[in-house]
Amino acid sequence: QVQLVESGGGVVQPGRSLRLSCAASGFTFSSYGMHWVRQAPGKGLEWVAVISFDGSNKYYADSVKGRFTISRDNPKNTLYLQMNSLRPEDTAVYYCAKELGVKWAAEYYFDHWGQGTLVTVSS
Amino acid sequence: EIVLTQSPATLSLSPGERATLSCRASQSVSSYLAWYQQKPGQAPRLLIYDASNRATGIPARFSGSGSGTDFTLTISSLEPEDFAVYYCQQRSNWPPLTFGQGTRLEIK
């Protein structure tokens, strides 16, 4: 069965960096786009970034553009989110999510989610 | 950016009743809309995509309808496990992919 396990969250000071990882199993990772979605405490869902199945295309929310970088290592079945210049408003649970559609038939819906990792940005 | 507005914010119903949740888009999203369910402390779960297609393993009591700017998620007869927060999400005009603010379905 599909399994997504995030790691790398924690408490970090404003302006510092953090890298999140998402280990994938139970499906052909290299055939699916992957997303990061975040949820601030007690708030709704916010899409953060997407990377295509082969890593050739990446898109970001305006709120993180220029500060966050999504990447993937297909041989290692792992998705990453490098977060630089962190701000208090980046405090959230970060979920990795699998794309519903396969390869070029991406649907931009999220059919499997990890359990999330909490990032807290505070001095 | 397409803004999705969900109503009501909170819906109080009893098990066995019918639930109707609404999602309105600030501009047409055609049929490119999904619904997710999220329970406390859990990740969201995909229920419906492309407005009316049930995701794998989703019970038939969940159905979606609508197109353009107005969409509805219907739960025909509420089970105890259906009380949760529900979000809509569009993929018509992106980036960004956007979500509604959520509807909390609570037990009356």
Side-chain angles (χ1 to χ4, degrees), chain A residues 81-96:
Chain A
L81 185 67
Q82 177 67 42
M83 303 186 295
N84 298 332
S85 303
L86 282 161
R87 304 166 179 168
E89 55 264 35
D90 295 320
T91 295
V93 173
Y94 284 75
Y95 295 101
C96 67

Side-chain angles (χ1 to χ4, degrees), chain A residues 18-24 29-30 32-36 48-60 64 67-84 95-97:
Chain A
L18 207 59
R19 188 177 83 156
L20 306 183
S21 299
C22 171
F29 181 72
S30 59
Y32 291 88
M34 296 294 295
H35 301 258
W36 287 99
V48 173
V50 61
I51 185 168
S52 60
F53 69 97
D54 59 358
S56 61
N57 292 296
K58 305 173 186 181
Y59 299 94
Y60 300 90
V64 306
R67 300 187 298 122
F68 289 12
T69 302
I70 190 171
S71 62
R72 65 191 297 158
D73 186 334
N74 282 348
K76 292 185 177 180
N77 289 345
T78 304
L79 175 72
Y80 301 101
L81 185 67
Q82 177 67 42
M83 303 186 295
N84 298 332
Y95 295 101
C96 67

